[in-house]
Amino acid sequence: MRLTDFWGRLEQAFGAAYAHSIAADHAFAALGGRTIDQAIAQGVDTATIWRAVVATYPDRVPAQLH
């Protein structure tokens, strides 16, 4: 998944402001306790990051974005 697609999905699921807040502040267990921003900076594949988001917020992410 391209980085622009990842951000588009995150913003569609959470809204632009909240998406960037989650990316900076929420440490995901599935990402080894890293935030989205940290995982991206460390080269984690965006599809892997997206799966962590979906697993953490299954009710928040619309099915068409899975």
Side-chain angles (χ1 to χ4, degrees), residues 7-28:
W7 284 113
R9 287 182 184 199
L10 197 65
E11 290 176 0
Q12 194 173 354
F14 295 97
Y18 191 50
H20 290 278
S21 176
I22 288 173
D25 299 329
H26 184 100
F28 289 80

Side-chain angles (χ1 to χ4, degrees), residues 26-36 39 44-45 47-57:
H26 184 100
F28 289 80
L31 298 175
R34 293 176 285 195
T35 66
I36 291 171
V44 176
D45 181 61
T48 300
I49 299 169
W50 183 248
R51 285 190 294 272
V53 171
V54 171
T56 304
Y57 295 100

Side-chain angles (χ1 to χ4, degrees), residues 13 16 23 30 33-34 38 42 45-46 48 51 54 60-62 64-65:
R34 293 176 285 195
Q38 290 168 333
Q42 293 173 2
D45 181 61
T46 52
T48 300
R51 285 190 294 272
V54 171
R60 185 71 188 242
V61 179
Q64 71 266 20
L65 296 179

